[in-house]
Amino acid sequence: MATFIIYSPGALQPYGHAFDYVGGLGSGLCGQGHQVHVVTHDGPLVLSDVTVHTATSAAWDRLLDVLPSRLRRHAFRLLAEPRLLSTLSRLRTEHPDAPVLFETFEYLSLARYLRRHNGGCTGGIFHSTTFRSEREGVLRTAYKRVSARAARRIARSLAVVYVHGPHLRRRLLDELSLPETSPVRVLAYGAPDPAEVVVPTRETAREALGLPAGKNILLSLGTLRRDKDLSTPVRAVAASPDWVLVHAGPEGDASYRELEQLGEANGLGDRLVIHKRFIPAVEHSLYFGAADLVSAFYDPAMTHESGTAKRVRAFSRPLLAAGPPDLLDYVTEWGVGYTVPPHDVDAAAEALRRHAGLSPEDAAALEQRIHRAGQKLSWRAVAATVAADLCPDDTT
């Protein structure tokens, strides 16, 4: 049995992907008999199976509340992550042989840390692979460009760097000017094994969530962001009278009002349903169980992975996807749904029609393909890959 340390500043926060990612990977490692410690900022969520270590808050943390929310989050990371890295240093002293996986990180702080403390086996996940051509707002773009040199230093310092697709690997090598021989590897984005998930019937799930029983449901689950294409699914559902679009998740850099205005402009009326809150993992079975299809419409230039698009396979629901090559390749290669060209409303509406008209035999075959992908790409399989890479002499 090995001891692993996962560094994930956002693992207990009710936004983003970190909670589900660290929870799944941590449980996968624990299920193989390993002990897992997670270093993270304090937050309202609770991780099971793993041991959590948080940094104590400082008095000046409260002063950041006067800043706008997005600026506050950036300022907190810059100021608080050095303190969290000190917590990591203390934990590594207690477990000097434990491999460390940096799941997310603030680039400038981690680069300084690795310059001083890069002993042992370390790995890191680059969920985002863009630095010179960021498209997520002025503030984030400026930060990423300033951080490019630090990110390059991080990538060169780690024993292994993970990305979630071949195209993302190519982009990271190009963006950070890394040699082709760099230890940048593709790691599947995990999800629960479908054999371990209980999915309620559509009728039960819809009744529990107050959703219409007599319509087909296209589900959009997750944070509202500008790298997601909201317009195409709205317009495709507007052209498909038997379908309802359900969005469930918090606001990000896009707002509920923007989505509501899209619905109004396209005459959706009560066929657009918005559940305005963060959806915890324990409720995912209800939302996926209620859905007929799950929406995965993204900007084709998106440079990170879609956690929702991968998690849905655990619940045996197909995807309707448009966007970056890695996402489309995943859907096509595993046969887990439908792909359409970006911003092609007619193609999206045709996919809705096709899915609603599937024969029982074709629907069963689609579900079997999703189930197969769920087993092959489960968190257990991802954890086995990470363990083999970071602790090759102590895998089970």
Side-chain angles (χ1 to χ4, degrees):
M1 180 181 75
T3 297
F4 287 85
I5 299 172
I6 300 176
Y7 180 87
S8 177
L12 300 183
Q13 306 306 317
Y15 50 78
H17 70 273
F19 176 73
D20 287 339
Y21 197 99
V22 173
L25 179 58
S27 294
L29 289 168
C30 290
Q32 296 175 4
H34 304 301
Q35 185 180 63
V36 179
H37 297 264
V38 175
V39 179
T40 183
H41 294 305
D42 198 11
L45 304 182
V46 177
L47 287 169
S48 59
D49 299 329
V50 304
T51 302
V52 174
H53 305 261
T54 59
T56 56
S57 61
W60 50 258
D61 288 345
R62 292 190 293 273
L63 300 177
L64 300 178
D65 291 340
V66 302
L67 299 174
S69 59
R70 287 183 62 77
L71 183 59
R72 181 169 64 244
R73 193 176 300 177
H74 283 288
F76 180 81
R77 291 194 68 182
L78 286 166
L79 295 171
E81 285 205 30
R83 191 167 69 236
L84 190 62
L85 286 164
S86 296
T87 300
L88 174 63
S89 295
R90 291 193 294 272
L91 183 61
R92 293 184 78 183
T93 300
E94 298 173 14
H95 303 280
D97 298 325
V100 181
L101 178 67
F102 295 94
E103 186 270 332
T104 49
F105 40 85
E106 193 280 310
Y107 302 101
L108 303 177
S109 300
L110 182 58
R112 289 193 297 269
Y113 173 87
L114 290 174
R115 191 182 299 130
R116 300 189 302 268
H117 308 286
N118 197 28
C121 190
T122 54
I125 302 173
F126 277 75
H127 290 292
S128 177
T129 58
T130 297
F131 293 86
R132 295 187 300 230
S133 54
E134 187 69 28
R135 300 177 59 184
E136 298 182 29
V138 174
L139 183 64
R140 186 170 175 83
T141 297
Y143 168 73
K144 291 294 284 290
R145 288 180 179 173
V146 168
S147 303
R149 181 176 298 179
R152 186 181 304 113
R153 189 178 303 125
I154 291 167
R156 289 174 172 172
S157 299
L158 300 174
V160 60
V161 171
Y162 293 118
V163 295
H164 293 306
H167 294 273
L168 293 179
R169 181 184 187 275
R170 179 72 266 154
R171 184 183 290 272
L172 186 68
L173 294 178
D174 292 344
E175 291 274 331
L176 298 184
S177 300
L178 299 173
E180 190 66 41
T181 54
S182 297
V184 180
R185 303 179 190 173
V186 174
L187 179 71
Y189 197 113
D193 189 312
E196 301 170 357
V197 174
V198 177
V199 183
T201 64
R202 282 179 175 80
E203 294 74 19
T204 300
R206 293 183 182 190
E207 182 178 359
L209 296 173
L211 298 176
K215 297 281 188 179
N216 298 305
I217 288 179
L218 176 65
L219 173 67
S220 167
L221 182 73
T223 304
L224 284 174
R225 299 197 313 264
R226 298 201 182 282
D227 62 0
K228 294 181 178 180
D229 174 10
L230 303 177
S231 177
T232 302
V234 166
R235 294 165 64 196
V237 169
S240 308
D242 294 334
W243 285 82
V244 171
L245 176 62
V246 176
H247 173 77
E251 292 179 305
D253 57 0
S255 69
Y256 296 130
R257 185 57 192 146
E258 290 175 79
L259 181 55
E260 289 168 344
Q261 288 174 333
L262 273 173
E264 292 166 2
N266 288 278
L268 269 188
D270 60 5
R271 290 197 294 125
L272 172 62
V273 179
I274 306 176
H275 287 192
K276 300 178 178 181
R277 61 189 179 90
F278 171 77
I279 309 300
V282 294
E283 296 184 37
H284 285 183
S285 61
L286 281 177
Y287 281 91
F288 288 128
D292 294 283
L293 268 175
V294 176
S295 172
F297 285 78
Y298 291 90
D299 187 312
M302 185 180 79
T303 60
H304 56 85
E305 184 56 274
S306 167
T308 299
K310 301 307 171 67
R311 187 171 179 80
V312 65
R313 64 176 175 255
F315 303 88
S316 299
R317 292 297 184 265
L319 288 167
L320 176 55
D326 283 324
L327 173 61
L328 302 185
D329 289 349
Y330 161 71
V331 175
T332 301
E333 290 172 10
W334 289 93
V336 295
Y338 310 86
T339 63
V340 296
H343 312 300
D344 192 329
V345 176
D346 291 338
E350 172 61 17
L352 295 179
R353 187 196 65 77
R354 284 175 53 206
H355 186 70
L358 282 182
S359 68
E361 294 77 15
D362 287 340
L366 174 58
E367 185 170 335
Q368 288 173 359
R369 292 195 299 272
I370 299 169
H371 188 86
R372 188 181 310 117
Q375 290 181 317
K376 294 288 187 180
L377 304 174
S378 69
W379 281 122
R380 185 186 302 108
V382 173
T385 298
V386 170
D389 287 342
L390 295 182
C391 198
D393 297 327
D394 201 352
T395 55
T396 57

